[in-house]
């Protein structure tokens, strides 16, 4: 069964500093990988996704993530954090069958809470 | 284009009661999935529907059920509520089967007392 690990429960950065949120996955087939962000009391917003191709993917709000198959990682990065980026971030892997066809099930990590200091 | 709409946003129920939550997907989306979010267990997959058929189910007891209508709207039902069912229930819609690019609603906050 697939699993996702986000090693950092809580990260604090200063506004303007760079950010990297870690994500490691366990999955036997070609992974479909996602990063979502959730503000308090809100639903999840998709930041970016990786299905195949270029291992560096660009997302919304200036975020990017790099897929590294050898390390089973999909870390999220942002060069300069804004106070409005404070939220909880979730990495997720999409389910697929042996033939690589994806289904709708997502397996999420436990989330990383980002605090931004002025 | 309107996003995923979940109703109601907040709900308080008593142990032993049942509850029905509603989800209207993005127009044109035919796949709907449901997730439960709690502080202890995080985000857990409940089930997925496509074309009125349940395609995938998570590890939840039979008290949790769902359905999808011909217009792709979906409902989930929880019977015999327990305190541990208190959670944020999130619905997500996707354009088609096999597409895991899910768009989430704001969720329904269920409190069981």
């Amino acid at each position: 069964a697939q699993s996702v690990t986000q090693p950092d429960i809580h990260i604090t950065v200063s506004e303007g500093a760079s950010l990297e949120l870690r994500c490691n996955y366990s999955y036997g087939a070609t992974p479909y990988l996602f990063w979502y962000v959730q503000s308090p009391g809100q639903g999840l917003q998709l930041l970016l996704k990786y299905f195949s191709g270029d291992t560096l993917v660009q997302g919304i709000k200036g975020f990017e993530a790099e897929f590294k198959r050898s390390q089973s990682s999909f870390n999220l990065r942002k060069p300069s954090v804004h106070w409005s980026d404070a939220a909880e971030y979730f990495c997720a892997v999409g389910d697929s069958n042996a033939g690589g066809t994806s289904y709708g099930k997502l397996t999420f990590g436990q989330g990383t809470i980002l605090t931004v200091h002025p | 284009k309107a996003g995923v709409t979940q109703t109601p946003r907040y709900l308080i129920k008593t142990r032993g009661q049942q509850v029905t939550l509603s989800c209207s997907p993005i127009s044109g989306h035919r796949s709907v999935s449901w997730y439960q979010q709690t502080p202890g267990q995080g985000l857990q997959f409940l089930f997925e529907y496509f074309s009125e058929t349940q395609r995938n189910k998570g590890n939840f007891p039979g008290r949790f059920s769902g359905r999808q209508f011909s217009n792709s709207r979906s409902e989930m039902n929880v019977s015999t509520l327990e305190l541990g069912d208190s959670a944020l229930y999130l619905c997500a819609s996707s354009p088609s089967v096999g597409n895991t690019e899910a768009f989430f609603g704001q969720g329904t906050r269920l409190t069981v007392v």
Side-chain angles (χ1 to χ4, degrees):
Chain A
Q2 64 268 36
S3 66
V4 178
T5 301
Q6 294 180 244
D8 305 305
I9 296 173
H10 196 168
I11 283 184
T12 300
V13 300
S14 297
E15 191 169 17
S18 63
L19 172 70
E20 182 169 29
L21 302 182
R22 296 183 291 165
C23 172
N24 293 98
Y25 68 90
S26 173
Y27 195 67
T30 302
Y32 296 85
L33 295 163
F34 307 83
W35 275 99
Y36 283 87
V37 61
Q38 185 179 36
S39 297
Q42 302 297 311
L44 301 172
Q45 182 182 23
L46 178 65
L47 285 175
L48 46 78
K49 61 184 183 289
Y50 172 79
F51 286 172
S52 65
D54 193 349
T55 57
L56 184 64
V57 294
Q58 303 297 321
I60 62 171
K61 303 185 179 186
F63 286 94
E64 68 177 26
E66 186 171 12
F67 170 61
K68 293 185 177 180
R69 185 186 297 275
S70 62
Q71 298 177 19
S72 297
S73 70
F74 188 58
N75 294 349
L76 181 72
R77 301 193 295 248
K78 186 170 185 179
S80 178
V81 171
H82 188 262
W83 64 266
S84 60
D85 293 324
E88 189 162 15
Y89 291 79
F90 293 92
C91 180
V93 61
D95 201 6
S96 70
N97 64 16
T101 301
S102 66
Y103 291 92
K105 175 184 175 182
L106 294 172
T107 299
F108 288 88
Q110 286 296 98
T112 298
I113 298 171
L114 174 65
T115 299
V116 181
H117 280 167
Chain B
K1 187 183 268 192
V4 178
T5 303
Q6 291 188 245
T7 56
R9 288 292 311 277
Y10 302 92
L11 209 48
I12 300 175
K13 289 288 188 179
T14 304
R15 272 181 302 174
Q17 288 186 314
Q18 73 166 13
V19 67
T20 299
L21 312 182
S22 179
C23 172
S24 294
I26 293 171
S27 177
H29 285 195
R30 297 172 61 195
S31 174
V32 173
S33 300
W34 289 88
Y35 293 81
Q36 181 196 64
Q37 185 177 24
T38 60
Q41 299 299 314
L43 282 152
Q44 294 185 286
F45 172 78
L46 281 158
F47 24 66
E48 179 199 9
Y49 287 87
F50 179 80
S51 292
E52 302 178 64
T53 301
Q54 187 180 91
R55 299 188 68 247
N56 207 346
K57 190 177 191 304
N59 294 324
F60 279 83
R63 300 186 296 107
F64 291 81
S65 63
R67 60 178 175 168
Q68 187 180 34
F69 302 94
S70 58
N71 62 358
S72 295
R73 191 177 69 84
S74 176
E75 290 181 346
M76 68 163 282
N77 184 80
V78 187
S79 62
T80 319
L81 284 165
E82 301 176 359
L83 296 179
D85 298 332
S86 295
L88 181 65
Y89 290 89
L90 292 165
C91 168
S93 76
S94 298
S96 64
V97 65
N99 183 329
T100 56
E101 184 169 353
F103 297 86
F104 284 81
Q106 301 277 65
T108 293
R109 171 73 63 184
L110 171 66
T111 301
V112 182
V113 298

